[in-house]
Amino acid sequence: ESTLSDVEKLLHENPESKRARLLKAKILAAQGHVQNALDVINNQNETDPEICAKRGRLLTELEKYDEAIVAYANALNEAPHHE
């Protein structure tokens, strides 16, 4: 299991890594830092369906339902058969 410090090292080496950003967001959310997790992956131009879906889940947790719907729609548009 990756720790937050491990992931931050990865992001320092490669700040654009989608996988590292997603992992950091998952760790932060698991620690109860939902807004911080969202900040890590909150890019309106993001097209990766997994990141868009994670944004939707985080936005739902924050009760930002209209924004969550848009994030989920973006995920479906990018990968309509993604589960």
Side-chain angles (χ1 to χ4, degrees):
E1 181 177 307
S2 296
T3 65
L4 188 55
S5 62
D6 293 335
V7 174
E8 287 176 341
K9 287 177 189 174
L10 289 173
L11 281 170
H12 181 72
E13 294 170 10
N14 185 3
E16 299 302 314
S17 170
K18 290 180 182 183
R19 296 279 154 276
R21 288 188 299 125
L22 184 60
L23 185 55
K24 182 176 180 178
K26 287 179 179 181
I27 292 170
L28 288 169
Q31 293 175 342
H33 304 291
V34 178
Q35 182 61 57
N36 291 346
L38 182 60
D39 292 343
V40 170
I41 59 172
N42 202 15
N43 179 348
Q44 299 300 330
N45 297 319
E46 182 60 64
T47 59
D48 181 272
E50 191 174 359
I51 290 179
C52 290
K54 183 63 176 176
R55 282 187 68 242
R57 287 189 294 276
L58 294 170
L59 288 162
T60 299
E61 285 187 48
L62 294 170
E63 299 180 1
K64 296 181 179 183
Y65 302 116
D66 291 339
E67 292 176 60
I69 290 169
V70 171
Y72 285 128
N74 288 340
L76 287 172
N77 286 336
E78 293 301 321
H81 304 293
H82 185 64
E83 295 185 21

Coordinates of all heavy atoms in Angstrom, one line a residue:
E1 N 0.8 -1.2 0.0 CA 0.0 0.0 0.0 C 0.9 1.2 0.0 O 1.8 1.4 0.8 CB -0.9 0.0 1.2 CG -1.8 1.2 1.3 CD -2.7 1.1 2.5 OE1 -3.4 0.0 2.6 OE2 -2.8 2.1 3.3
S2 N 0.6 2.1 -0.9 CA 1.4 3.4 -1.0 C 1.0 4.3 0.1 O -0.2 4.4 0.5 CB 1.1 4.0 -2.3 OG 1.6 3.2 -3.4
T3 N 2.0 5.0 0.6 CA 1.7 6.1 1.6 C 1.6 7.4 0.8 O 2.1 7.6 -0.3 CB 2.8 6.1 2.7 OG1 4.0 6.5 2.1 CG2 2.9 4.8 3.4
L4 N 1.1 8.4 1.5 CA 1.0 9.7 0.9 C 2.3 10.3 0.6 O 2.5 10.9 -0.5 CB 0.2 10.6 1.9 CG -0.2 12.0 1.4 CD1 -1.0 11.9 0.1 CD2 -1.0 12.7 2.4
S5 N 3.3 10.1 1.5 CA 4.6 10.6 1.2 C 5.3 10.0 -0.1 O 5.9 10.6 -0.8 CB 5.6 10.5 2.4 OG 5.7 9.1 2.7
D6 N 5.0 8.7 -0.3 CA 5.5 8.0 -1.5 C 4.9 8.6 -2.7 O 5.6 8.8 -3.7 CB 5.2 6.5 -1.4 CG 5.9 5.7 -0.3 OD1 7.0 6.2 0.1 OD2 5.4 4.7 0.1
V7 N 3.6 8.8 -2.7 CA 2.9 9.4 -3.8 C 3.4 10.8 -4.1 O 3.5 11.2 -5.2 CB 1.4 9.3 -3.6 CG1 0.6 10.0 -4.7 CG2 0.9 7.9 -3.5
E8 N 3.6 11.6 -3.0 CA 4.1 13.0 -3.2 C 5.4 13.0 -3.9 O 5.7 13.8 -4.7 CB 4.0 13.7 -1.9 CG 2.6 14.0 -1.5 CD 2.5 14.7 -0.1 OE1 3.4 14.6 0.7 OE2 1.4 15.3 0.1
K9 N 6.3 12.0 -3.5 CA 7.6 11.9 -4.2 C 7.4 11.6 -5.7 O 8.1 12.2 -6.5 CB 8.4 10.8 -3.5 CG 9.0 11.1 -2.2 CD 9.7 9.9 -1.6 CE 10.0 10.2 -0.1 NZ 10.6 9.0 0.5
L10 N 6.5 10.7 -6.0 CA 6.2 10.4 -7.4 C 5.7 11.7 -8.1 O 6.1 11.9 -9.3 CB 5.2 9.3 -7.5 CG 5.6 7.9 -7.2 CD1 4.4 7.0 -7.2 CD2 6.6 7.4 -8.1
L11 N 4.8 12.4 -7.5 CA 4.3 13.6 -8.1 C 5.4 14.7 -8.3 O 5.4 15.5 -9.2 CB 3.1 14.2 -7.3 CG 1.8 13.5 -7.6 CD1 0.8 13.9 -6.5 CD2 1.3 13.7 -9.0
H12 N 6.3 14.7 -7.3 CA 7.4 15.7 -7.4 C 8.3 15.4 -8.7 O 8.7 16.3 -9.4 CB 8.3 15.7 -6.2 CG 9.4 16.6 -6.2 ND1 9.2 18.0 -6.1 CD2 10.7 16.5 -6.4 CE1 10.4 18.6 -6.2 NE2 11.3 17.7 -6.4
E13 N 8.5 14.1 -8.9 CA 9.3 13.7 -10.1 C 8.5 13.8 -11.4 O 9.1 14.1 -12.4 CB 9.7 12.2 -9.9 CG 10.6 12.0 -8.8 CD 10.8 10.5 -8.5 OE1 10.4 9.6 -9.2 OE2 11.5 10.2 -7.4
N14 N 7.2 13.6 -11.3 CA 6.3 13.7 -12.5 C 5.0 14.3 -12.1 O 4.0 13.6 -11.9 CB 6.1 12.3 -13.1 CG 5.4 12.3 -14.4 OD1 5.0 13.4 -14.9 ND2 5.1 11.1 -14.9
P15 N 4.9 15.6 -12.1 CA 3.7 16.3 -11.6 C 2.5 16.1 -12.5 O 1.3 16.3 -12.0 CB 4.1 17.8 -11.6 CG 5.5 17.9 -12.0 CD 6.0 16.5 -12.4
E16 N 2.7 15.6 -13.7 CA 1.5 15.4 -14.6 C 1.0 14.0 -14.6 O 0.1 13.7 -15.3 CB 1.9 15.8 -16.0 CG 2.3 17.2 -16.2 CD 1.2 18.2 -15.8 OE1 0.0 18.0 -16.1 OE2 1.5 19.2 -15.0
S17 N 1.6 13.1 -13.7 CA 1.2 11.7 -13.7 C -0.3 11.6 -13.2 O -0.6 11.9 -12.0 CB 2.1 11.0 -12.7 OG 1.5 9.7 -12.5
K18 N -1.2 11.2 -14.1 CA -2.6 11.0 -13.7 C -2.7 9.9 -12.7 O -3.5 10.0 -11.8 CB -3.4 10.6 -15.0 CG -3.5 11.7 -16.0 CD -4.3 11.3 -17.2 CE -4.4 12.5 -18.2 NZ -5.3 12.1 -19.3
R19 N -1.9 8.8 -12.8 CA -2.0 7.7 -11.9 C -1.6 8.2 -10.5 O -2.3 7.8 -9.5 CB -1.1 6.6 -12.3 CG -1.6 6.0 -13.6 CD -2.6 5.1 -13.4 NE -3.7 4.5 -13.9 CZ -5.0 4.9 -13.9 NH1 -5.3 6.0 -13.6 NH2 -5.9 4.1 -14.3
A20 N -0.6 9.0 -10.4 CA -0.1 9.4 -9.0 C -1.1 10.4 -8.5 O -1.4 10.4 -7.3 CB 1.2 10.1 -9.1
R21 N -1.7 11.3 -9.3 CA -2.7 12.2 -8.8 C -4.0 11.5 -8.3 O -4.5 11.8 -7.3 CB -3.1 13.2 -9.9 CG -2.0 14.3 -10.2 CD -2.5 15.4 -11.1 NE -2.9 14.9 -12.4 CZ -4.1 15.1 -12.9 NH1 -5.0 15.9 -12.3 NH2 -4.4 14.6 -14.1
L22 N -4.4 10.5 -9.1 CA -5.5 9.7 -8.7 C -5.3 8.9 -7.4 O -6.1 8.9 -6.5 CB -5.9 8.7 -9.8 CG -7.1 7.9 -9.6 CD1 -8.4 8.8 -9.4 CD2 -7.4 6.9 -10.7
L23 N -4.1 8.4 -7.2 CA -3.7 7.6 -6.0 C -3.7 8.6 -4.8 O -4.2 8.3 -3.7 CB -2.4 6.9 -6.2 CG -2.0 6.0 -5.0 CD1 -3.0 5.0 -4.6 CD2 -0.7 5.3 -5.4
K24 N -3.1 9.8 -5.0 CA -3.1 10.8 -3.9 C -4.5 11.1 -3.5 O -4.8 11.2 -2.3 CB -2.3 12.0 -4.3 CG -2.1 13.0 -3.2 CD -1.3 14.2 -3.6 CE -1.2 15.2 -2.4 NZ -0.3 16.3 -2.8
A25 N -5.3 11.4 -4.5 CA -6.7 11.7 -4.2 C -7.4 10.6 -3.4 O -8.2 10.9 -2.4 CB -7.5 12.0 -5.5
K26 N -7.2 9.4 -3.8 CA -7.8 8.2 -3.1 C -7.3 8.2 -1.6 O -8.1 7.9 -0.7 CB -7.5 6.9 -3.8 CG -8.3 6.8 -5.1 CD -7.9 5.5 -5.8 CE -8.7 5.3 -7.1 NZ -8.4 4.0 -7.8
I27 N -6.0 8.4 -1.4 CA -5.5 8.3 -0.1 C -6.1 9.4 0.8 O -6.5 9.2 1.9 CB -3.9 8.4 -0.1 CG1 -3.4 7.1 -0.7 CG2 -3.4 8.6 1.3 CD1 -1.9 7.2 -1.0
L28 N -6.1 10.7 0.2 CA -6.6 11.8 1.0 C -8.1 11.6 1.3 O -8.5 11.9 2.4 CB -6.4 13.1 0.2 CG -5.0 13.6 0.1 CD1 -4.9 14.7 -0.9 CD2 -4.5 14.1 1.4
A29 N -8.9 11.1 0.4 CA -10.3 10.8 0.6 C -10.5 9.8 1.7 O -11.3 10.0 2.6 CB -11.0 10.4 -0.7
A30 N -9.7 8.8 1.7 CA -9.7 7.7 2.7 C -9.4 8.2 4.1 O -9.9 7.7 5.1 CB -8.8 6.5 2.3
Q31 N -8.6 9.3 4.1 CA -8.2 9.9 5.4 C -9.3 11.0 5.8 O -9.1 11.6 6.8 CB -6.9 10.6 5.3 CG -5.7 9.6 5.1 CD -4.4 10.3 4.9 OE1 -4.3 11.5 4.5 NE2 -3.3 9.6 5.0
G32 N -10.3 11.2 5.0 CA -11.4 12.1 5.3 C -11.1 13.5 4.8 O -11.9 14.4 5.1
H33 N -10.1 13.7 4.0 CA -9.8 15.0 3.4 C -10.4 15.1 2.0 O -9.6 15.2 1.0 CB -8.3 15.2 3.4 CG -7.6 15.1 4.7 ND1 -7.8 15.9 5.8 CD2 -6.8 14.1 5.2 CE1 -7.2 15.5 6.8 NE2 -6.5 14.4 6.5
V34 N -11.7 15.1 1.9 CA -12.4 15.0 0.6 C -12.1 16.2 -0.3 O -11.8 16.1 -1.4 CB -13.9 14.8 0.8 CG1 -14.6 14.8 -0.5 CG2 -14.1 13.5 1.6
Q35 N -12.1 17.4 0.3 CA -11.9 18.6 -0.5 C -10.5 18.7 -1.0 O -10.2 19.0 -2.1 CB -12.2 19.9 0.3 CG -12.0 21.2 -0.5 CD -12.9 21.3 -1.7 OE1 -14.1 21.2 -1.6 NE2 -12.3 21.4 -2.9
N36 N -9.5 18.3 -0.1 CA -8.1 18.2 -0.6 C -7.9 17.2 -1.7 O -7.2 17.4 -2.6 CB -7.2 17.8 0.6 CG -7.1 19.0 1.6 OD1 -7.5 20.1 1.3 ND2 -6.6 18.6 2.8
A37 N -8.6 16.1 -1.6 CA -8.6 15.0 -2.6 C -9.1 15.6 -3.9 O -8.5 15.4 -5.0 CB -9.4 13.8 -2.2
L38 N -10.2 16.3 -3.9 CA -10.8 16.9 -5.1 C -9.8 17.9 -5.7 O -9.6 18.0 -6.9 CB -12.1 17.6 -4.7 CG -12.8 18.2 -5.9 CD1 -13.2 17.2 -7.0 CD2 -14.1 18.9 -5.4
D39 N -9.1 18.7 -4.8 CA -8.2 19.7 -5.3 C -7.1 19.1 -6.1 O -6.6 19.7 -7.1 CB -7.6 20.5 -4.2 CG -8.6 21.4 -3.5 OD1 -9.7 21.7 -4.1 OD2 -8.3 21.8 -2.3
V40 N -6.7 17.9 -5.8 CA -5.6 17.2 -6.5 C -6.0 16.8 -7.9 O -5.2 16.9 -8.8 CB -5.2 15.9 -5.7 CG1 -4.2 15.0 -6.5 CG2 -4.6 16.2 -4.4
I41 N -7.2 16.5 -8.1 CA -7.7 16.0 -9.4 C -8.7 16.9 -10.1 O -9.2 16.6 -11.2 CB -8.3 14.6 -9.4 CG1 -9.5 14.5 -8.5 CG2 -7.2 13.6 -9.0 CD1 -10.2 13.2 -8.5
N42 N -8.9 18.1 -9.5 CA -9.9 19.0 -10.0 C -9.4 19.8 -11.2 O -8.9 20.9 -11.0 CB -10.4 19.9 -8.9 CG -11.8 20.5 -9.2 OD1 -12.5 20.0 -10.1 ND2 -12.2 21.5 -8.5
N43 N -9.5 19.2 -12.4 CA -9.1 19.9 -13.6 C -10.3 19.8 -14.6 O -10.6 18.7 -15.0 CB -7.9 19.2 -14.2 CG -7.4 19.9 -15.5 OD1 -8.1 20.7 -16.1 ND2 -6.2 19.5 -15.9
Q44 N -10.9 20.9 -14.9 CA -12.1 20.9 -15.7 C -11.8 20.3 -17.1 O -12.7 19.9 -17.8 CB -12.7 22.3 -15.9 CG -13.1 22.9 -14.6 CD -14.2 22.1 -13.8 OE1 -15.0 21.5 -14.5 NE2 -14.2 22.2 -12.5
N45 N -10.6 20.3 -17.6 CA -10.2 19.8 -18.9 C -9.8 18.4 -18.9 O -9.4 17.8 -19.9 CB -9.1 20.7 -19.5 CG -9.5 22.1 -19.7 OD1 -10.6 22.4 -20.1 ND2 -8.6 23.0 -19.3
E46 N -9.9 17.7 -17.7 CA -9.5 16.3 -17.6 C -10.4 15.4 -18.4 O -11.6 15.6 -18.3 CB -9.5 15.9 -16.1 CG -9.1 14.5 -15.9 CD -7.7 14.3 -16.3 OE1 -6.8 14.9 -15.7 OE2 -7.5 13.5 -17.2
T47 N -9.8 14.5 -19.1 CA -10.6 13.6 -20.0 C -10.5 12.1 -19.6 O -11.2 11.3 -20.1 CB -10.3 13.7 -21.5 OG1 -8.9 13.5 -21.6 CG2 -10.6 15.1 -22.0
D48 N -9.6 11.8 -18.7 CA -9.4 10.4 -18.2 C -10.7 10.0 -17.5 O -11.1 10.6 -16.5 CB -8.2 10.3 -17.3 CG -8.0 8.9 -16.9 OD1 -8.6 8.5 -15.8 OD2 -7.2 8.2 -17.5
P49 N -11.4 8.9 -18.0 CA -12.7 8.6 -17.4 C -12.6 8.1 -15.9 O -13.5 8.4 -15.2 CB -13.1 7.4 -18.3 CG -12.0 6.9 -19.0 CD -11.0 8.1 -19.1
E50 N -11.5 7.5 -15.5 CA -11.3 7.1 -14.1 C -11.2 8.4 -13.2 O -11.8 8.4 -12.1 CB -10.1 6.2 -14.0 CG -10.1 5.6 -12.6 CD -9.0 4.5 -12.5 OE1 -8.2 4.3 -13.4 OE2 -8.8 4.0 -11.4
I51 N -10.5 9.4 -13.7 CA -10.3 10.6 -12.9 C -11.7 11.3 -12.9 O -12.1 11.9 -11.8 CB -9.2 11.4 -13.4 CG1 -7.8 10.7 -13.1 CG2 -9.2 12.8 -12.8 CD1 -6.6 11.4 -13.6
C52 N -12.3 11.4 -14.0 CA -13.6 12.1 -14.0 C -14.6 11.4 -13.1 O -15.4 12.1 -12.4 CB -14.2 12.1 -15.5 SG -13.3 13.2 -16.6
A53 N -14.6 10.1 -13.1 CA -15.5 9.4 -12.2 C -15.2 9.6 -10.7 O -16.1 9.8 -9.9 CB -15.5 7.9 -12.5
K54 N -13.9 9.6 -10.4 CA -13.5 9.9 -9.0 C -13.9 11.3 -8.6 O -14.3 11.5 -7.5 CB -11.9 9.8 -8.9 CG -11.4 10.0 -7.5 CD -12.0 8.9 -6.5 CE -11.4 9.1 -5.1 NZ -12.0 8.1 -4.2
R55 N -13.7 12.3 -9.6 CA -14.2 13.7 -9.3 C -15.7 13.6 -9.0 O -16.2 14.3 -8.0 CB -14.0 14.6 -10.5 CG -12.6 15.1 -10.7 CD -12.5 16.1 -11.8 NE -13.1 17.3 -11.4 CZ -14.2 17.9 -12.0 NH1 -14.7 17.3 -13.1 NH2 -14.7 19.0 -11.5
G56 N -16.5 12.9 -9.7 CA -17.9 12.7 -9.5 C -18.2 12.2 -8.1 O -19.1 12.7 -7.4
R57 N -17.5 11.2 -7.7 CA -17.7 10.6 -6.3 C -17.3 11.6 -5.2 O -18.0 11.7 -4.3 CB -16.9 9.3 -6.2 CG -17.4 8.1 -7.0 CD -16.8 6.8 -6.6 NE -15.4 6.8 -7.0 CZ -14.9 6.4 -8.2 NH1 -15.8 6.2 -9.2 NH2 -13.6 6.4 -8.5
L58 N -16.2 12.3 -5.4 CA -15.8 13.3 -4.4 C -16.8 14.5 -4.3 O -17.1 14.9 -3.3 CB -14.4 13.8 -4.7 CG -13.3 12.8 -4.6 CD1 -12.0 13.3 -5.1 CD2 -13.1 12.3 -3.2
L59 N -17.2 14.9 -5.5 CA -18.2 16.0 -5.5 C -19.5 15.6 -4.9 O -20.2 16.4 -4.2 CB -18.4 16.5 -7.0 CG -17.3 17.3 -7.6 CD1 -17.4 17.3 -9.1 CD2 -17.2 18.7 -7.0
T60 N -19.9 14.3 -5.1 CA -21.1 13.8 -4.4 C -20.9 13.8 -2.9 O -21.8 14.2 -2.2 CB -21.4 12.4 -4.9 OG1 -21.7 12.5 -6.4 CG2 -22.6 11.8 -4.3
E61 N -19.8 13.4 -2.4 CA -19.5 13.4 -1.0 C -19.6 14.8 -0.4 O -20.0 15.0 0.7 CB -18.1 12.8 -0.7 CG -18.1 11.3 -0.8 CD -16.8 10.8 -0.3 OE1 -16.3 11.1 0.8 OE2 -16.2 10.0 -1.1
L62 N -19.2 15.8 -1.3 CA -19.3 17.2 -0.8 C -20.6 17.8 -1.1 O -20.8 19.0 -0.9 CB -18.2 18.0 -1.5 CG -16.7 17.6 -1.2 CD1 -15.7 18.3 -2.1 CD2 -16.4 18.0 0.3
E63 N -21.6 17.0 -1.6 CA -22.9 17.4 -1.9 C -23.0 18.5 -2.9 O -23.9 19.4 -2.9 CB -23.7 17.9 -0.6 CG -23.8 16.8 0.4 CD -24.5 17.1 1.7 OE1 -24.9 18.3 1.8 OE2 -24.6 16.3 2.6
K64 N -22.0 18.5 -3.9 CA -22.0 19.4 -5.0 C -22.6 18.6 -6.2 O -21.8 18.2 -7.1 CB -20.6 19.9 -5.3 CG -20.1 20.7 -4.1 CD -18.7 21.2 -4.4 CE -18.2 22.1 -3.3 NZ -16.8 22.6 -3.6
Y65 N -23.9 18.3 -6.1 CA -24.5 17.4 -7.1 C -24.5 17.8 -8.5 O -24.3 17.0 -9.4 CB -25.9 17.0 -6.6 CG -25.9 16.5 -5.2 CD1 -26.6 17.2 -4.2 CD2 -25.3 15.3 -4.9 CE1 -26.6 16.7 -2.9 CE2 -25.3 14.8 -3.6 CZ -25.9 15.5 -2.6 OH -25.9 15.0 -1.3
D66 N -24.7 19.1 -8.8 CA -24.7 19.5 -10.2 C -23.3 19.3 -10.8 O -23.2 18.9 -12.0 CB -25.1 21.0 -10.3 CG -26.6 21.2 -9.9 OD1 -27.4 20.3 -10.0 OD2 -26.9 22.4 -9.6
E67 N -22.3 19.6 -10.1 CA -20.9 19.4 -10.6 C -20.6 18.0 -10.7 O -19.9 17.5 -11.7 CB -19.9 20.1 -9.7 CG -20.0 21.6 -9.6 CD -19.0 22.2 -8.6 OE1 -17.8 22.0 -8.8 OE2 -19.5 22.9 -7.7
A68 N -21.1 17.1 -9.8 CA -20.9 15.7 -9.9 C -21.5 15.1 -11.1 O -20.9 14.3 -11.8 CB -21.5 15.0 -8.6
I69 N -22.7 15.6 -11.4 CA -23.4 15.1 -12.7 C -22.6 15.4 -13.9 O -22.4 14.5 -14.8 CB -24.8 15.7 -12.8 CG1 -25.7 15.1 -11.7 CG2 -25.4 15.4 -14.2 CD1 -27.0 15.8 -11.5
V70 N -22.0 16.6 -14.0 CA -21.1 16.9 -15.1 C -19.9 16.0 -15.1 O -19.5 15.5 -16.2 CB -20.7 18.4 -15.0 CG1 -19.7 18.7 -16.1 CG2 -22.0 19.3 -15.2
A71 N -19.3 15.8 -14.0 CA -18.1 14.9 -13.9 C -18.4 13.5 -14.4 O -17.7 12.9 -15.2 CB -17.5 14.9 -12.5
Y72 N -19.6 13.0 -13.9 CA -20.0 11.6 -14.3 C -20.3 11.6 -15.8 O -19.9 10.6 -16.5 CB -21.2 11.1 -13.6 CG -20.9 10.7 -12.1 CD1 -21.6 11.2 -11.1 CD2 -19.9 9.8 -11.8 CE1 -21.4 10.8 -9.8 CE2 -19.6 9.4 -10.6 CZ -20.4 9.9 -9.5 OH -20.1 9.5 -8.2
A73 N -20.9 12.6 -16.3 CA -21.2 12.7 -17.8 C -19.9 12.7 -18.6 O -19.8 12.0 -19.6 CB -22.1 13.9 -18.1
N74 N -18.9 13.4 -18.1 CA -17.6 13.5 -18.8 C -17.0 12.1 -18.8 O -16.4 11.7 -19.8 CB -16.7 14.5 -18.1 CG -17.1 15.9 -18.4 OD1 -17.8 16.2 -19.3 ND2 -16.7 16.8 -17.6
A75 N -17.1 11.4 -17.7 CA -16.5 10.0 -17.6 C -17.2 9.1 -18.6 O -16.6 8.4 -19.3 CB -16.7 9.5 -16.2
L76 N -18.5 9.2 -18.7 CA -19.3 8.4 -19.6 C -19.0 8.7 -21.1 O -19.0 7.9 -22.0 CB -20.8 8.5 -19.3 CG -21.2 7.8 -18.1 CD1 -22.7 8.1 -17.8 CD2 -21.0 6.3 -18.2
N77 N -18.9 10.0 -21.3 CA -18.6 10.4 -22.7 C -17.2 9.9 -23.2 O -17.0 9.6 -24.4 CB -18.6 12.0 -22.8 CG -20.0 12.5 -22.8 OD1 -20.9 11.9 -23.1 ND2 -20.0 13.8 -22.4
E78 N -16.3 9.9 -22.3 CA -14.9 9.4 -22.6 C -14.8 7.9 -22.8 O -14.0 7.4 -23.5 CB -13.9 9.9 -21.6 CG -13.7 11.4 -21.7 CD -13.3 11.9 -23.0 OE1 -12.4 11.3 -23.7 OE2 -13.8 13.0 -23.5
A79 N -15.6 7.2 -22.0 CA -15.6 5.7 -22.0 C -16.9 5.2 -21.7 O -17.3 4.8 -20.6 CB -14.6 5.2 -21.0
P80 N -17.8 5.2 -22.7 CA -19.2 4.8 -22.4 C -19.4 3.4 -21.9 O -20.4 3.1 -21.3 CB -19.9 5.0 -23.8 CG -18.8 5.1 -24.8 CD -17.6 5.5 -24.1
H81 N -18.4 2.5 -22.1 CA -18.5 1.1 -21.7 C -17.7 0.8 -20.5 O -17.5 -0.3 -20.0 CB -18.2 0.2 -22.8 CG -19.0 0.4 -24.0 ND1 -20.4 0.2 -24.0 CD2 -18.7 0.9 -25.2 CE1 -20.8 0.5 -25.2 NE2 -19.9 0.9 -26.0
H82 N -17.1 1.9 -19.9 CA -16.2 1.8 -18.7 C -17.1 1.5 -17.5 O -18.1 2.1 -17.3 CB -15.4 3.1 -18.5 CG -14.4 3.0 -17.4 ND1 -13.4 2.2 -17.4 CD2 -14.4 3.7 -16.2 CE1 -12.6 2.4 -16.3 NE2 -13.2 3.3 -15.6
E83 N -16.7 0.5 -16.6 CA -17.5 0.2 -15.4 C -16.7 0.7 -14.2 O -15.6 0.7 -14.0 CB -17.7 -1.3 -15.3 CG -18.5 -1.8 -16.5 CD -18.9 -3.2 -16.3 OE1 -18.8 -3.7 -15.2 OE2 -19.2 -3.8 -17.3

